[in-house]
Amino acid sequence: MSTFNIQDFCATSHSNENFLRPFAYHGNLYATNGHIMVRIPAGAGVVDTEHSLVAPAEKMFANANFDAGMEPLPDYPAMELPSCEGCGGSGKGKPLEECRECRGEGFVEWDTDFHTYDADCKGCDGEGEVGIVGGADVTCKRCNGSGTEMDVPVMFGATAINYRYLKLMETLPGLLVGLSVSKFPDAIQFKFDGGAGLVMPISPTKPKALS
């Protein structure tokens, strides 16, 4: 039985609130966290959303070919996942609040007389959030309570998919993936019963964002 929930494909925290919930446009409902995106038909009466993600999302799907090279997801070896860096493997963490140093942006900027610079915020390690000191333990948001690091590459030939997003894709009914026609660094196309999607391949060390 499928456990597909379109909200799962949205970001759980992001400085751009448009990534936090699905949005509708031209009869379709989209959801993305910046690395993976899905599209399903919007229900009757759903009103179009107007924000910065609408045009790029529609363009990316218009340029994709969801009929080329589609096949069931190949088997892959069981993953030995490292302990989650956010909770040390416990699956628990402190409730989060917006980082005061970067105001939730995940980076800080400063100007000199010559240039503007930016860097990942050291106060929150670029996450935009920090644990509330003294707060009661809650499920770790980084690993969803699994205690393991999910952002690791799974290799399919010369292509790698982030394990976190691979597990999301596996919740989709009737999943078919265009691995054989994917060309790094372009998005990998996939489709499922009632919808389609795009996921960015990754290097062995760092996820690539949709653009």
Side-chain angles (χ1 to χ4, degrees):
M1 179 180 296
S2 171
T3 57
F4 169 52
N5 181 351
I6 193 169
Q7 181 65 46
D8 292 340
F9 291 80
C10 297
T12 56
S13 63
H14 202 284
S15 58
N16 183 342
E17 65 178 15
N18 295 328
F19 286 89
L20 302 180
R21 60 191 63 87
F23 56 93
Y25 194 65
H26 287 179
N28 291 307
L29 190 65
Y30 298 85
T32 183
N33 64 11
H35 298 282
I36 188 170
M37 184 186 301
V38 293
R39 183 186 70 181
I40 61 174
V46 176
V47 179
D48 281 1
T49 308
E50 296 292 342
H51 59 57
S52 60
L53 300 184
V54 167
E58 189 174 47
K59 181 178 180 180
M60 291 182 71
F61 276 86
N63 291 336
N65 183 351
F66 296 103
D67 294 319
M70 291 292 167
E71 58 187 353
L73 185 71
D75 292 335
Y76 57 91
M79 300 293 295
E80 294 186 9
L81 300 174
S83 295
C84 173
E85 294 182 4
C87 64
S90 69
K92 299 289 185 179
K94 298 298 181 184
L96 301 176
E97 63 181 355
E98 181 180 284
C99 176
R100 297 180 183 179
E101 185 171 355
C102 65
R103 299 180 181 179
E105 295 292 335
F107 63 91
V108 292
E109 291 185 337
W110 67 96
D111 296 320
T112 69
D113 292 337
F114 304 98
H115 299 287
T116 298
Y117 298 88
D118 66 75
D120 286 346
C121 175
K122 291 186 176 181
C124 63
D125 292 327
E127 296 293 331
E129 296 177 313
V130 293
I132 299 175
V133 177
D137 284 348
V138 296
T139 299
C140 175
K141 291 178 67 175
R142 182 183 179 105
C143 67
N144 294 323
S146 69
T148 55
E149 195 65 52
M150 301 285 285
D151 293 316
V152 294
V154 180
M155 300 301 299
F156 295 94
T159 299
I161 299 177
N162 187 312
Y163 183 75
R164 181 187 299 275
Y165 307 137
L166 182 61
K167 300 309 289 184
L168 269 179
M169 292 165 63
E170 290 182 326
T171 69
L172 300 169
L175 175 67
L176 297 173
V177 184
L179 290 171
S180 64
V181 295
S182 67
K183 296 182 179 179
F184 189 87
D186 295 336
I188 298 168
Q189 300 159 173
F190 61 89
K191 63 181 180 180
F192 54 95
D193 295 344
L198 301 165
V199 62
M200 294 309 303
I202 63 171
S203 71
T205 56
K206 186 176 182 180
K208 179 178 172 61
L210 289 160
S211 58

